[in-house]
Amino acid sequence: MTDPRAAKDAARARARARRDSLSDDQMRAFAADALRERFLEDLVRPGFIPDGPVAGYWPLGSELDVRPLLLHLRTGGRSIALPVSGPRGQALTFRDWDPALPLAAGRYGIQEPGADRPEVVPAVLLVPMLAFDRSGHRLGYGAGYYDRTLDALRAIRPVLAVGMAFAAQEMDAVPCGAHDERLDWILTEREALRFTQ
């Protein structure tokens, strides 16, 4: 019998290597711009995005850069937030992001809004990942931050969880467990996948 944790760790290693191999800066910039347009065309214009703050993320390593989308949404009047990671095992919190203000390196060296910025409860959560499948599951880094966060947010109010990935990050089936939260959408530079009605 396969150990689920070992299966996830092996899948993470393969997925990280695949994502890290997407190193062409021009391709990465194209993907970030294409993702912005796909989000606007497939989610915003048809009215799938609820009112309220949008929480994105500051890209770590080879993650897909959602900052062009966040800046576009902010220019259009949306409140934008970035995550703040606390102790392992706890849900993320979110603080308002003002691009004119400096950020600080957080727990994992990721840029975060300072403690003086107001906390925000997002209506839309953009979720980074190592891999995804066509049933709405994502493979994260193993700390469970986004699963705990989605569980906590969904207990308070409806939140739209949108996974953001390169098309090359798709795998046939993501190993998942009982505590893994399913995404509502996954966007890549090529397509939008919807999992909720």
Side-chain angles (χ1 to χ4, degrees):
M1 184 171 162
T2 305
D3 175 12
R5 182 172 292 182
K8 276 193 173 184
D9 288 344
R12 280 189 190 97
R14 289 191 306 274
R16 187 184 299 272
R18 181 181 306 139
R19 194 185 69 191
D20 288 350
S21 72
L22 306 171
S23 58
D24 179 87
D25 289 341
Q26 189 173 10
M27 184 279 297
R28 292 174 91 51
F30 165 79
D33 289 341
L35 197 83
R36 177 189 64 220
E37 294 309 309
R38 186 158 309 287
F39 187 91
L40 298 174
E41 192 66 34
D42 293 336
L43 277 79
V44 173
R45 289 190 186 108
F48 292 121
I49 299 299
D51 291 335
V54 175
Y57 57 89
W58 197 267
L60 174 65
S62 59
E63 287 177 344
L64 200 150
D65 190 352
V66 296
R67 290 174 294 183
L69 170 60
L70 297 178
L71 290 169
H72 180 91
L73 293 173
R74 191 172 192 283
T75 300
R78 279 277 183 163
S79 171
I80 301 297
L82 293 176
V84 177
S85 52
R88 190 178 175 103
Q90 292 188 6
L92 299 166
T93 57
F94 299 89
R95 291 191 192 129
D96 181 71
W97 177 43
D98 182 342
L101 297 176
L103 297 171
R107 180 177 175 88
Y108 297 102
I110 303 170
Q111 296 297 298
E112 300 175 350
D116 59 327
R117 301 300 298 154
E119 283 197 18
V120 170
V121 177
V124 180
L125 183 58
L126 308 183
V127 183
M129 66 185 78
L130 287 169
F132 68 92
D133 63 25
R134 289 187 173 255
S135 62
H137 294 108
R138 69 179 273 277
L139 186 64
Y141 298 100
Y145 279 111
Y146 277 92
D147 292 312
R148 286 184 184 87
T149 300
L150 282 169
D151 181 58
L153 288 173
R154 287 170 170 165
I156 297 169
R157 64 182 279 184
V159 61
L160 191 74
V162 183
M164 310 299 263
F166 296 100
Q169 290 177 251
E170 182 179 350
M171 62 187 338
D172 289 337
V174 168
C176 58
H179 299 293
D180 292 328
E181 292 283 326
R182 200 161 161 252
L183 300 170
D184 300 302
W185 290 79
I186 292 174
L187 294 190
T188 76
E189 74 277 20
R190 293 186 192 156
E191 62 184 332
L193 303 172
R194 186 183 182 192
F195 306 105
T196 56
Q197 299 303 315

